[in-house]
Amino acid sequence: MEMFSKILIANRGEIAVRIIQTARRLGVRTVAVVSVPDRGAPFAKLADEVIEIGPGPAAESYLCGDKIIAAARATGAQAIHPGYGFLAENAEFADAVGRAGLKFIGPSPEAMRRMGGKAEAKAIAATAGVPVVPGYAGESQEARILAREAKRVGYPVMIKAVAGGGGRGMRRVEGDVDFAAALESAQREAKAAFGDDRVLLEKVIARPRHVEVQVFGDAHANVVHLFERDCSLQRRNQKVLEEAPAPGMCAQLRAKITAAAVACAKAVGYQGAGTVEFLLEGAGTLGPEMPWYFIEMNTRLQVEHPVTESITGLDLVEWQLRVAAGERLPLTQAQIAMSGHAIEARLNAEDPANDFLPSTGPIVRLRLAEGEGLRCDAGVEEGSVISPFYDSMIAKLIAHGPDRAAAIARLACGLEHTLVAGPKTNAAFLHALVTHAAFGRGEVDTGLIGRELARLAPARLAAGAVSIGVARMLKGEANARRNASGHPGDAASPWSALDAFQLGAPRRQGRTVLVDGVATKVEVAWTADGPNVSVLGEPPGASAGPPPMVTAVGDSAPVYVLSNMRQVVLDWPSYAVGAGEVGDGSAVHAPIVGRLAKVFVRQGDRVAKGDRVAVVEAMKMEHVLHAPRAGCIDKLAAREGDQVAEGALIAVLAEE
Ligand code: ADP
Ligand code: ADP
Ligand code: MG
C-alpha cells in the first residue's frame, strides 16, 4: 500500500501543527478544518487547504463528525488524523470515516470500543493476566448499589467516569457521608463531557506513581512498546510534567509493565499508537516488588508523546501514518533503543495565583524558548487569541539531555526564556516545580503538587515592576493628551512636550491604578526624566532603573509587566464599569467567560456562606461559584445553558 497523498486533520492547536509538520516532511498534503475563532490560527496557516466547519463551541465544529467527513470528501483527503481529544476516541466517528471510504488514522473502531470504556478495558486487562485496581466496574448504576459497593471496596474510593478522560468525571471520596454528592457531581460532569454518565469505583492507591507505556501495533499483528513515561506530576488528576524514562525504574519492573502493555494491545488486535496507563503503589524507587495496576488504555496519540520521541529519536506521527497506510512497523522491538532523559512541561493559559483559573484573550507578546536539547510544540503565535471554547494548553516545552539532571537544567532554562504577555500562564509555577528539590531527587507521586502547592506559588513580582508599568501608562497618557491638544511636538522626544503639560501640575500626584484588576494607590513624582512611581507601602523602584529580567509590553494602558515568568497587568480604572452594580459582598459573578452549566438555586432560596450557587463550564473545566455570604437569593441574572461573559452577574443576595 502506498503512503497517503493528502490527509485531513480533525483537530486544532499545537497537535494540528505537529501533525502537519510530519505530513509535510513525508510529502503528504494536509487539510485543516477550523472553527470561526480559529481562522488564521498557526495550524490553519500551515495547512495546504483550510475548510471552515462552524462556530467556536466544539459541539458545533470540532465534534461534528459529519462536517469533517464532508470536508475530507470535498478536498479529496484519503485519511483523517484525529489528534487527541475531540473525536480521537470516538468509535462511531471512526466507523463513519470508514463507511465514507476514508482511513481513520488510529486503531479499528472495534479496538477503540473495547478499550474505550474503562470498565471493559479493565476486564480485558485482567483476562490478559494484568493486575487491575480493585473496585467495582459493574453494570448497575443505582446510587444505592454504588454506595454499598463503595463501602465494600473501602474508603477512600475513587469515582470515575467509565467514558472519562482528561481527569474529568473523577472524584475522590473520603467517606460515606460525601458519597452521594460526589456521585451526583461526577455523573453530571461525565454526562456533560462525554454524553455518558456511567461510573466505576476504585480503591484509592496510596502515593501513586503514574507510569504509562507507549505501544504501537500494525496491520500485520506486530506490537511493540517504546518504553515508559512517568506522568506523576499532576494537578487534579491532570498531567503537568511528563518524563521518560521513569526516574528510578528498575529493569525487572520495566520488563513486567512493558510486557503487560503489549499483552493488552495484542488482546484487542491493536493498530497504531496507544498508551497503556498504570498506577504504581508507594513513592520511592521502582523496585521489582512494587505493586502495580492497569488503570486504562488511551487509544490515540498522547499529549506527552514528545518525551518518547526525544529518547527514542523516532517520529510517532510518521509511524501512525505508515501503519495506517498498511506498512509494517518501521522497527522491531530489538531495534528500538532509548538514550538520555526527556521532560515535558505543559504551558497553560491559566493563573496559578487564582486557583489556576483559565485565562483568555490576545497574546500581545510571545517568545518561545529555543536551544540545544529544547523543543517547543506550540499552537499559538503573537496575536493569537486564547478563546474560552477550548482547553488552556497553548504550548509544550520539551527538554532532552544525556541524563535527568541535564534535562531538568535545560527545561528550567527554557522556561526562564519563555515570555507570554496577555493571558496569564503557569510558566513560573512550572519552573518552581522543575527546580523543586523532591522532583530533582526523582521522589515523585501524584500528590506532590497538591502537598507542595503553597511552596510552588509563584514568587512575588520584583519590586519596582509595577512602577515601571505605571510609568509607561503615564507616558502613554501624556502622549495621548499632547496629540489631542493639537501640539504634536517632537516625536523623537515626547518629554519636551510633556514638560509643558506639567506646568502648573503638582510635583507629586496620587493616582489609582488597577494592578491585576485590583485598585491600587500609587504616588507619582514628576522628574526631568519622566514620572517616578512608587506604590504606596512599597519602596520606590523606577528611579533605580529597571530591575533585572523585567519586560514591559505596551506603550499605553494596559501595560503588561513580566518578571520571573510572572505577569502583572496594569490599567487605569474604568469608571463606567461597576456603575449601578451591586456591592461585591452580595453578588455572584462569573469568574471567566463560559457556559452556565448548572444553577443550584432559585429566587427566594436561602443559602449559607460558601453554598454552591452555580457552575460555569469553560476550557474543559467546571468552575463552582459559591455564595459570598449567607442570605436570600434576590435575583438570578442568568439561566442554565446561557453563555456568560467574564464578570457577568449571575445572582444577587438580598440586603439583610
Ligand atoms: P492525555 O491523557 O494525553 O494527557 P488528556 O485526556 O488530558 O490527554 O487531554 C486530551 C487533549 O484533548 C487535551 O490536552 C486537548 O489538547 C484536547 N482537547 C481540546 N479541546 C478539547 C475538548 N473540547 N474536548 C476534549 N478534548 C479536547
Ligand atoms: P483519565 O481518563 O481522566 O486520564 P485515569 O483513570 O487515567 O483517568 O486517571 C487519571 C489520574 O487520576 C491518574 O493518573 C491518577 O493520578 C489518578 N487516579 C486514577 N485512579 C486512581 C486510583 N484508583 N487511586 C489513586 N489515584 C487514581
Ligand atoms: Mg488517563
Side-chain angles (χ1 to χ4, degrees), residues 415-647:
L415 287 165
E416 286 157 26
H417 287 92
T418 298
L419 187 137
V420 183
K424 291 202 163 16
T425 76
N426 62 344
F429 171 79
L430 291 172
H431 189 270
L433 201 51
V434 165
T435 54
H436 190 282
F439 179 70
R441 292 191 298 266
E443 291 163 9
V444 294
D445 69 88
T446 64
L448 186 139
I449 290 182
R451 289 192 303 274
E452 297 290 308
L453 209 51
R455 245 166 298 184
L456 296 168
R460 266 181 65 81
L461 206 68
V466 168
S467 311
I468 291 170
V470 175
R472 282 250 191 157
M473 296 206 303
L474 288 162
K475 289 182 196 178
E477 189 185 56
N479 283 339
R481 221 185 280 250
R482 189 196 58 210
N483 291 341
S485 73
H487 297 287
D490 176 7
S493 160
W495 290 105
S496 57
L498 200 67
D499 287 340
F501 148 66
Q502 276 181 55
L503 284 177
R507 273 179 53 77
R508 286 184 177 277
Q509 192 185 11
R511 294 288 300 256
T512 300
V513 294
L514 292 181
V515 180
D516 280 340
V518 177
T520 306
K521 290 228 180 325
V522 298
E523 192 177 65
V524 186
W526 294 92
T527 71
D529 299 332
N532 190 342
V533 181
S534 47
V535 180
L536 291 188
E538 271 186 25
S543 60
M549 299 282 283
V550 171
T551 306
V553 178
D555 293 325
S556 61
V559 169
Y560 305 83
V561 182
L562 291 108
S563 171
N564 264 331
M565 294 157 282
R566 198 168 163 275
Q567 167 181 277
V568 278
V569 185
L570 303 161
D571 207 346
W572 299 124
S574 143
Y575 294 101
V577 175
E581 269 192 22
V582 203
D584 246 10
S586 297
V588 178
H589 296 276
I592 180 172
V593 25
R595 198 181 69 91
L596 199 59
K598 180 90 191 159
V599 177
F600 295 104
V601 296
R602 274 185 299 194
Q603 194 170 355
D605 279 1
R606 217 177 145 91
V607 292
K609 183 178 173 172
D611 273 0
R612 297 182 305 175
V613 172
V615 172
V616 173
E617 199 187 78
M619 302 175 95
K620 290 178 71 189
M621 300 270 293
E622 283 199 340
H623 307 274
V624 183
L625 316 186
H626 301 274
R629 61 168 168 82
C632 246
I633 301 290
D634 189 30
K635 183 179 146 200
L636 277 173
R639 274 188 314 194
E640 226 169 85
D642 282 359
Q643 201 67 34
V644 293
E646 179 177 338

Side-chain angles (χ1 to χ4, degrees), residues 118 158 160 165-167 170 202-203 205 210 234 277 296:
K118 288 190 205 288
M158 198 69 100
K160 286 176 154 182
M170 195 180 305
E202 277 180 3
K203 166 172 113 84
I205 303 296
H210 174 114
Q234 306 181 352
E277 297 191 330
E296 68 158 343

Side-chain angles (χ1 to χ4, degrees), residues 118 133-134 158 160-161 163-168 170 172 194 202-206 208-210 231-232 234 236-239 277-279 295-296 298 300 446:
K118 288 190 205 288
V133 185
M158 198 69 100
K160 286 176 154 182
R168 283 178 301 168
M170 195 180 305
R172 183 190 157 117
F194 316 110
E202 277 180 3
K203 166 172 113 84
V204 166
I205 303 296
R209 279 183 62 171
H210 174 114
C231 314
S232 298
Q234 306 181 352
R236 297 202 176 145
N237 307 314
Q238 299 206 58
K239 298 159 187 169
E277 297 191 330
F278 301 93
L279 289 184
I295 49 170
E296 68 158 343
N298 293 325
R300 55 170 163 89
T446 64

Side-chain angles (χ1 to χ4, degrees), residues 84-86 166 239 298 300 302-304 346 391 620:
Y84 40 68
F86 299 126
K239 298 159 187 169
N298 293 325
R300 55 170 163 89
Q302 202 97 335
V303 173
E304 57 274 22
R346 297 190 188 196
D391 69 324
K620 290 178 71 189

